[in-house]
Amino acid sequence: MHISDGVLSTTVCLGSYILSIGICSLCIKKSMKTKELPKIAMITSIFFIASLISIPLGPTSVHLILPGLVGTALGGMAFPSVLLGIILQAILFQHGGLTTIGANSLMMGLGALGAGSIFSLVKKSNNSKLIINTGAICGAMGVLIAGITLALLLTTAGEDFYGVAKVALLAHVPVIVIETIITGAAIAFLLKVKPDLIGVKIKPDETGVKVIQ
Amino acid sequence: MRPDIDRYWKLESSIHNWDPRFKIFTLVIFAFAISSLHHLSAIVICFFFCLLLHKLSKIPFSFSLKRLAAVTTFIGPFFLIMPLTVITKAGDTIYYFRNIPYLELNVRGIFLALRIYIKAVSIVLVMIPMFGTNRFDISIKSLEKLKVPNSMVQMLLFSYRYIFVFLAEFKQMLLAMKIRKFKPSANIHTLKTYGNFLGTLLVRSFERTEEVYQAMLSRGYKGILKIPFHYRARFSDYLKSVLIFSITFFILFYDRILL
């Protein structure tokens, strides 16, 4: 879910721009490594492409947003990645809007950062089940935080938007369920195939996969 | 919809000739001005001006129509939700239905949704000439000239490149799934399959980007990307920016003071 142009007041638009640029530069200062630049760009494009996957749900369909997966894969650099993804979505597809890039990256980016900080707690664990379950929770948390931030941003637009905020929050419920399962499955897959992509150091024999020699 | 916003960068027009630094800076401010308008009449005037701007850029309207359709599906629900949920204020026209209790349609809600819709469409009409009239890498390079950090600019360019590569990969994998009779529906199987799909896409993309990065390192990449393009601001660039700024000023003046 993105906020489109014209919904938020100019003050909120500018404020969220400043806030997200601030968070972004903090993240870059704290955890940016030149070596990781291609990886961040890659996750950004996956984040972009994921929005093209839509899952039929009754009469409509929902598309993936994946803040949780971005957070688990990138940790502290998730916010800049999400910001870039939002910029690209706005410029290339006109998803969201130009004046709301700040607001949109704030909601997804905070979700991604939240998911990343939860996932960093279990990165050193050797228990693959725990990691997969935490990954699934991260998927849910990412969307939950994004949904709450979206609702809060919408309420700043005035009393008239309280109803829209409620509907938007409700619309996130099925997305939370979907992303929980998808993120969990993706983390389980990565754990088996390429654990260092999500920063997990786990021995191959503990993932339950037999190495063919 | 394909992600190549710069498909028509080779055309010749007064918007194409405009220096991308000036263009992006001026039009972003113009977009903010549009989003801050209050009155419907000012918004409609702005909409026609954006239409003119789009016309001047010579980008075919059929290209933009798909993007406008995306915005429409996005804001469409507002037309349904807003009339039902806005707060009733003095002077509002409200329709009640005799057969259905609790259902009230507030006309002010429709106007609120209409305002948002026209604003969003106008800004899309500005954005397409803004980024569609230069090669995308040059537009992004001008962001660097506008003080966006080099690392962000590089990541934007890498991501832009990867989007096309991964999109091709994505389509191929979807086709492979279709051949194996995969049909998405709302069940656990679909979601798990998509999870694995994403995992595969991530692993493949990761390996590919690693290889590209190694190749870049071996060609002397040190963390700074240089795009060979020289900017030269001409008198006409300043003139165009001043023109748009004065229009922005007049519309804001009309919206805030005259109305």
Side-chain angles (χ1 to χ4, degrees), chain B residues 90-106:
Chain B
D92 284 358
T93 316
I94 296 173
Y95 289 107
Y96 294 98
F97 295 90
R98 202 172 297 155
N99 306 327
I100 318 159
Y102 304 116
L103 192 69
E104 313 174 344
L105 270 181
N106 194 333

Side-chain angles (χ1 to χ4, degrees), chain B residues 129-149:
Chain B
M130 177 155 67
F131 290 101
T133 52
N134 282 99
R135 249 169 54 203
F136 193 74
D137 53 338
I138 290 170
S139 299
I140 296 301
K141 186 186 160 70
S142 36
L143 287 184
E144 193 185 356
K145 298 273 176 199
L146 296 171
K147 306 292 173 209
V148 176

Side-chain angles (χ1 to χ4, degrees), chain B:
Chain B
M1 198 156 49
R2 301 215 322 253
D4 49 344
I5 180 92
D6 56 353
R7 195 184 305 168
Y8 295 102
W9 70 272
K10 274 185 181 164
L11 299 177
E12 283 283 326
S13 78
S14 49
I15 310 281
H16 283 76
N17 289 334
W18 198 0
D19 189 315
R21 293 169 298 171
F22 287 77
K23 184 160 47 189
I24 291 174
F25 182 72
T26 313
L27 291 182
V28 165
I29 290 176
F30 184 57
F32 268 101
I34 296 174
S35 90
S36 72
L37 294 177
H38 289 316
H39 298 278
L40 196 60
S41 61
I43 296 170
V44 170
I45 293 171
C46 240
F47 167 73
F48 282 109
F49 178 73
C50 296
L51 215 56
L52 180 73
L53 204 70
H54 185 277
K55 184 87 190 143
L56 279 178
S57 74
K58 290 190 185 157
I59 293 175
F61 203 70
S62 56
F63 173 77
S64 311
L65 215 54
K66 272 185 198 162
R67 289 152 200 279
L68 291 176
V71 176
T72 308
T73 55
F74 205 80
I75 303 187
F78 271 80
F79 283 98
L80 198 68
I81 299 166
M82 294 295 291
L84 296 175
T85 59
V86 291
I87 309 294
T88 311
K89 283 181 187 167
D92 284 358
T93 316
I94 296 173
Y95 289 107
Y96 294 98
F97 295 90
R98 202 172 297 155
N99 306 327
I100 318 159
Y102 304 116
L103 192 69
E104 313 174 344
L105 270 181
N106 194 333
V107 178
R108 199 168 56 88
I110 296 175
F111 278 102
L112 273 175
L114 192 67
R115 252 174 41 183
I116 292 171
Y117 180 60
I118 301 177
K119 276 184 193 177
V121 165
S122 308
I123 292 178
V124 168
L125 284 175
V126 173
M127 255 161 107
I128 290 170
M130 177 155 67
F131 290 101
T133 52
N134 282 99
R135 249 169 54 203
F136 193 74
D137 53 338
I138 290 170
S139 299
I140 296 301
K141 186 186 160 70
S142 36
L143 287 184
E144 193 185 356
K145 298 273 176 199
L146 296 171
K147 306 292 173 209
V148 176
N150 184 276
S151 59
M152 290 299 266
V153 169
Q154 280 185 64
M155 283 192 277
L156 259 181
L157 281 175
F158 286 148
S159 312
Y160 180 66
R161 172 69 195 128
Y162 292 153
I163 282 169
F164 290 90
V165 177
F166 300 165
L167 209 58
E169 187 104 48
F170 171 86
K171 279 181 183 152
Q172 207 177 5
M173 282 166 65
L174 267 190
L175 188 67
M177 282 159 79
K178 238 180 222 167
I179 291 168
R180 290 170 177 77
K181 276 218 153 185
F182 172 73
K183 206 169 167 286
S185 60
N187 55 26
I188 296 260
H189 173 69
T190 305
L191 298 183
K192 281 194 173 166
T193 312
Y194 272 133
N196 287 338
F197 173 84
L198 274 173
T200 316
L201 193 62
L202 273 170
V203 171
R204 281 193 188 186
S205 318
F206 184 62
E207 281 165 1
R208 186 176 278 206
T209 48
E210 279 293 292
E211 278 167 23
V212 172
Y213 185 63
Q214 299 295 340
M216 279 165 60
L217 280 182
S218 65
R219 281 165 181 77
Y221 172 74
K222 284 199 187 75
I224 289 183
L225 204 66
K226 287 175 182 155
I227 305 159
F229 182 78
H230 294 287
Y231 293 97
R232 199 164 46 86
R234 286 161 305 180
F235 178 67
S236 63
D237 294 325
Y238 286 100
L239 197 69
K240 284 168 193 165
S241 290
V242 168
L243 190 71
I244 299 282
F245 278 137
S246 43
I247 289 167
T248 312
F249 176 76
F250 276 119
I251 285 180
L252 282 178
F253 182 75
Y254 174 71
D255 185 61
R256 292 289 147 83
I257 295 167
L258 291 187
L259 286 179

Side-chain angles (χ1 to χ4, degrees), chain A residues 1 29 39 45 60 63 67 83 89 122 126 138 144-145 160 162 172 179 189 197 202 206 211 213:
Chain A
M1 312 288 145
K29 215 174 254 175
K39 184 184 169 189
S45 4
T60 64
H63 71 82
L83 174 64
Q89 277 174 349
V122 296
N126 261 335
C138 287
L144 187 67
I145 295 172
D160 290 332
Y162 287 0
H172 272 75
E179 297 241 343
F189 181 87
L197 197 93
I202 199 163
E206 278 160 349
V211 182
Q213 285 174 332

